[in-house]
Amino acid sequence: MNEEKKKYYLVCNSHLDPVWMWDWDEGASSALATFYQAAVLLDESDFVFCHNESLLYEYIEEYDPALFAKIQEQVKEGKWKIMGGWYLQPDCNLPSGESFVRQIRTGRKYFAEKFGARPTVAVNFDSFGHSVGLVQILKKTGYDGYLCCRPMSWDKDMVSLPDTEFIWRGKDCSEIKVSRSDDLTLYCSGFGTAKNDLERKAKLYKE
């Protein structure tokens, strides 16, 4: 009996912290280099690149208009996807509700004007926690999903969290689907280990 073949999807994304342990100009330079390389790869290869954080796109628009125009074309072609839709990936433990709303509003306005995009899955890869009040805000601003990494399974505060895929319920009973990446590789595979990592993860996520 033949085993059923399954299709797996690899989502290409580069996580950048534009002002974490960097001056702002270093963050801008990193965004320019990353976006340039992604745009070149999209022309040479058959894959889709995803990125969020409107602040980084603003850097590209100001300092490399030709690259920005190129990205706009790749978005139209479906090669480059606008994800998340926020101004910046924030810390999600301490900010007020208004701060979250402004993050969403500012990012969404920019992405709508420049790319005609309105993502419905919020992204916070690197926040070390996530306020329960965020669920209601996400739901009421039109999001139906949330993609995050931390906290990880080896963190002691993880005891009460469910699996990597779950429904998160807020204080007002709002609900949102969550996908939490939980793996030792976290952001990426080491050089030469990608194939082994893919095979290992395929076994972990059978369904």
Side-chain angles (χ1 to χ4, degrees), residues 19 59 62-63 72 91 100 123 147-148 152 154 176 190 203:
V19 291
Y59 288 158
E62 180 174 357
Y63 298 115
Q72 287 180 311
D91 168 79
F100 284 126
V123 176
L147 181 60
C148 61
M152 311 306 290
W154 52 87
I176 198 146
K203 293 176 182 177

Side-chain angles (χ1 to χ4, degrees), residues 11-145:
V11 180
C12 303
N13 168 70
S14 291
H15 173 64
L16 298 176
D17 284 313
V19 291
W20 182 75
M21 296 181 70
W22 287 345
D23 292 331
W24 76 266
D25 53 343
E26 292 177 291
S29 296
S30 182
L32 284 161
T34 300
F35 281 32
Y36 173 80
Q37 190 60 58
V40 170
L41 287 171
L42 290 179
D43 279 342
E44 297 175 349
S45 310
D46 181 23
F47 79 100
V48 175
F49 181 72
C50 305
H51 213 284
N52 55 320
E53 297 177 300
S54 68
L55 172 64
L56 301 184
Y57 289 83
E58 289 179 26
Y59 288 158
I60 309 303
E61 184 179 16
E62 180 174 357
Y63 298 115
D64 195 338
L67 174 58
F68 187 78
K70 178 70 174 175
I71 293 170
Q72 287 180 311
E73 283 301 311
Q74 290 176 331
V75 170
K76 287 180 183 177
E77 294 168 1
K79 293 181 177 180
W80 187 304
K81 295 287 186 180
I82 304 297
M83 68 189 305
W86 291 24
Y87 177 72
L88 189 67
Q89 286 189 60
D91 168 79
C92 292
N93 289 302
L94 297 177
S96 67
E98 181 177 352
S99 175
F100 284 126
V101 171
R102 287 179 181 271
Q103 284 271 6
I104 295 167
R105 183 178 183 276
T106 303
R108 273 198 163 154
K109 181 180 179 183
Y110 181 84
F111 286 130
E113 290 176 355
K114 305 296 182 178
F115 299 97
R118 184 182 171 86
T120 59
V121 177
V123 176
N124 278 310
F125 286 124
D126 209 18
S127 180
F128 285 74
H130 311 271
S131 166
V132 70
L134 185 54
V135 187
Q136 181 179 355
I137 293 170
L138 291 173
K139 195 69 176 180
K140 292 194 172 183
T141 52
Y143 284 93
D144 55 26

Side-chain angles (χ1 to χ4, degrees), residues 158-181:
M158 265 291 297
V159 178
S160 62
L161 275 184
D163 206 348
T164 54
E165 315 292 324
F166 58 95
I167 302 296
W168 187 15
R169 179 172 291 174
K171 291 287 188 181
D172 71 332
C173 294
S174 294
E175 292 183 346
I176 198 146
K177 293 177 287 186
V178 177
S179 180
R180 183 179 58 80
S181 178

